[in-house]
Amino acid sequence: MGKEHDGIDAVAEKFYQKFRDEGIYFWKTLSELSEEDILTSIFLLGNKNEDNESLCHALDYNRDYDMFGGIGGGTVSKYGLFYGVDGQWKATQEQGKPKPVTLEKAIEIGKEIRDALVMGAITIQKWQGSLNTVESYCEMFKELDSVIPKYIHKSWFLKYYYMSFPDILLIYYSEE
């Protein structure tokens, strides 16, 4: 490896730690969030360029994570839920324009999305150590498709799972 790449593994490991080992984005940490903390810890809040620690902000807008591939493009609607600059929670669960929702509805949607993130991570963790063939990867993705069919093909879910399991998943995020 050339000198310009010396230390890249140490830098990458620092970022992976936020997704593993009780880090702020670790699936178990997400599973234990209070209802309102789900909203502020996972979803975009107001101006997407704010310096915040939400999971969606880290995956999409935090330039520190660019080295792990991008999921840019499109709109904040891709997350299913976000807090608009107008001070309202907006949901995009169905195709179409985001619609304002009550705090109670935002919490309900947020819990559904958080639970899907967690269920997918648990499923992938179950497969660790037994992914030795292309067929085993195909079986794991079939299981993920049955466990979280509404979410497994979303680019931000795929990047989250890569960041959580970089030793077994690829840097490739496509909704196709």
Side-chain angles (χ1 to χ4, degrees), residues 18 24 43 55 63 65 73 79 89 102-103 123 146 171:
K18 290 184 177 183
I24 62 174
F43 301 100
L55 174 62
R63 295 300 131 220
Y65 291 93
Y79 298 111
W89 283 101
T102 64
L103 177 60
T123 300
S146 72
I171 298 178

Side-chain angles (χ1 to χ4, degrees), residues 74-94:
T75 67
V76 296
S77 297
K78 67 184 159 204
Y79 298 111
L81 185 67
F82 64 94
Y83 192 74
V85 293
D86 61 358
Q88 291 187 301
W89 283 101
K90 308 252 171 94
T92 55
Q93 289 290 313
E94 302 300 322

Side-chain angles (χ1 to χ4, degrees), residues 33 35-46 50 52-57 76 78-83 89-90 93 106-115 117 151 156-157:
L33 292 173
E35 290 182 344
E36 290 205 23
D37 283 345
I38 288 171
L39 300 179
T40 58
S41 297
I42 297 175
F43 301 100
L44 290 175
L45 306 171
E50 286 179 358
N52 70 53
E53 289 282 326
S54 77
L55 174 62
C56 292
H57 185 272
V76 296
K78 67 184 159 204
Y79 298 111
L81 185 67
F82 64 94
Y83 192 74
W89 283 101
K90 308 252 171 94
Q93 289 290 313
I107 290 169
E108 178 186 321
I109 294 167
K111 285 169 69 173
E112 176 188 321
I113 294 169
R114 183 274 315 264
D115 291 349
L117 280 167
Y151 298 104
W156 74 278
F157 266 65

Side-chain angles (χ1 to χ4, degrees), residues 8-41:
I8 195 81
D9 288 340
V11 171
E13 187 59 32
K14 177 181 118 186
F15 294 115
Y16 290 140
Q17 287 305 317
K18 290 184 177 183
F19 292 82
R20 298 188 307 220
D21 306 327
E22 308 301 324
I24 62 174
Y25 307 127
F26 180 55
W27 65 265
K28 191 170 183 183
T29 303
L30 296 181
S31 74
E32 296 169 350
L33 292 173
S34 69
E35 290 182 344
E36 290 205 23
D37 283 345
I38 288 171
L39 300 179
T40 58
S41 297

Side-chain angles (χ1 to χ4, degrees), residues 126-137:
K126 180 180 85 175
W127 281 86
Q128 267 187 313
S130 62
L131 293 168
N132 325 349
T133 65
V134 170
E135 291 79 17
S136 60
Y137 275 92

